[in-house]
Amino acid sequence: MTARLQPKTVLAKPLAGWKVLVPRGGPWGDQVAANLRARGAQPIVAPMINFAPTDDAPALEAALARLAAGDFDWMTVTSATTVDVLQSHRAVVAPGTRIAAVGETTAAALIAAGYHVDIVPSEDNSARGLLLEWETATQGVIPLRVLTLRSEIAKPLLSEGLRRVGHEVESVVAYRTVGVAVSDTVIANVKAGLVQAVLVTSGSVAQQVFDQLGPIPEQTLVACIGPRTAKDARAIGLRVDVIADERSAESLIESLVTAAEAHALADLS
C-alpha cells in the first residue's frame, strides 16, 4: 500500500526537495518564488540582471511627458524590466492610450504595477508575434502614433515592422541591461549540484548564468521561458533541458513540474 501511495505524495508536491534558482527579484521574482513554494520547492531568489539608466535620459523623459499628455495612440512594452522603468519614473499613461505587451510575463508586470493591457499576442509571445496580430487587434487603422520602449541591446524588430506598414513610431531606449553578481554561496551551491533547477527568463539572464555559474552540472535542469529564450541560451553555449511552451512564469513553472514528475516516476519504476 505504501508503494501505491508514494506517487500521489510526489505529485501533490512535485518539486518537494528541489532548490530552484530564480534569477530575477522584485514583484515578479516574489510571485514566482511563492508559486514554487506552493509546489514544494525551495526558491533561491538571486537577481542576475538589473536595469541601468539610459544614456539618453532627456529623450526618455520627453517621451514619457508626451505619453502622459496623450500624444500616443499606443505604447508597446516588450519586457518586465521596461515596467520597472515606468514605475521608477512614475510614468502616467493617458486614458486614451492603449498598451500592447509582448507576452504574458510583461502583461502581468504591467497589471501588477497598476497599468492596463489591451493586447497580448495569443500565439507567439514575441515582437514578431505582436506584429502578426497587430492589424487585427487595431482594426487595421493606419497611421497610429506608437511609442515603443526598448532596452539598449534589443533589436528594433517591432519599431521597424510598425513603420513599414505606415505607423508613426517613436522608438526610445528605456534602459540598459547590466549584470548583477550573485553571492559566492549561490555559485558554490550550483557548482556542487545542490540546486536542482535554474530558471532562465531572457537572453540577458542566459548570458549571466553562463558567465557566473557555468558550466552547469548535468544533474541541474536549465529551464527556459519559451523557445526564443532557449534559442538565445543555446547560441551563448548554455545547455537547455526544459523549455516552457509559452513565455510566461506560469508556463515555466509548469514545464519544470512536468520534468520533476517524469523524474519522480522514473525513479519509482
Side-chain angles (χ1 to χ4, degrees):
M1 183 173 290
T2 301
R4 285 196 294 269
L5 288 174
Q6 192 172 4
K8 294 183 180 179
T9 303
V10 170
L11 295 175
K13 291 286 186 179
L15 298 177
W18 281 49
K19 292 182 179 179
V20 179
L21 180 66
V22 180
R24 283 185 50 202
W28 188 92
D30 292 342
Q31 185 62 54
V32 169
N35 290 341
L36 286 168
R37 289 190 193 96
R39 289 162 173 78
Q42 178 184 338
I44 302 170
V45 179
M48 302 191 77
I49 59 170
N50 202 348
F51 71 88
T54 173
D55 289 332
D56 194 356
L60 176 60
E61 291 166 3
L64 294 181
R66 292 183 60 202
L67 179 67
D71 288 353
F72 299 104
D73 300 305
W74 284 86
M75 173 176 67
T76 65
V77 182
T78 57
S79 72
T81 303
T82 303
V83 182
D84 294 337
V85 174
L86 290 171
Q87 282 188 289
S88 70
H89 283 79
R90 298 184 180 179
V92 174
V93 179
T97 301
R98 295 185 176 184
I99 301 177
V102 77
E104 297 295 342
T105 299
T106 303
L110 281 162
I111 292 169
Y115 298 105
H116 63 276
V117 177
D118 298 281
I119 295 178
V120 182
S122 59
E123 298 293 335
D124 180 4
N125 278 192
S126 69
R128 190 179 305 278
L130 183 55
L131 279 173
L132 289 173
E133 298 186 28
W134 184 270
E135 183 177 359
T136 300
T138 59
Q139 289 78 51
V141 176
I142 296 175
L144 292 168
R145 300 165 300 168
V146 185
L147 172 63
T148 62
L149 298 177
R150 60 184 180 84
S151 73
E152 185 180 47
I153 62 174
K155 297 176 182 178
L157 174 66
L158 184 57
S159 300
E160 291 178 356
L162 292 173
R163 286 194 185 105
R164 275 197 301 270
V165 297
H167 296 296
E168 300 172 6
V169 179
E170 181 168 343
S171 179
V172 178
V173 173
Y175 64 94
R176 294 179 295 116
T177 301
V178 295
V180 176
V182 298
S183 70
D184 291 341
T185 299
V186 169
I187 294 172
N189 284 341
V190 171
K191 290 187 178 298
L194 301 178
V195 175
Q196 282 67 42
V198 175
L199 305 185
V200 178
T201 56
S202 68
S204 299
V205 167
Q207 187 68 64
Q208 292 303 315
V209 169
F210 182 82
D211 291 345
Q212 296 192 53
L213 305 178
I216 304 296
E218 289 295 328
Q219 66 267 37
T220 300
L221 294 183
V222 177
C224 290
I225 192 168
R228 175 74 238 184
T229 298
K231 181 178 179 180
D232 291 342
R234 286 173 174 146
I236 292 166
L238 185 65
R239 190 188 79 245
V240 175
D241 303 298
V242 176
I243 304 173
D245 293 332
E246 300 175 6
R247 190 177 172 81
S248 69
E250 292 76 11
S251 182
L252 179 59
I253 293 174
E254 288 309 314
S255 68
L256 194 60
V257 165
T258 298
E261 289 175 338
H263 281 216
L265 291 175
D267 289 343
L268 291 169
S269 62

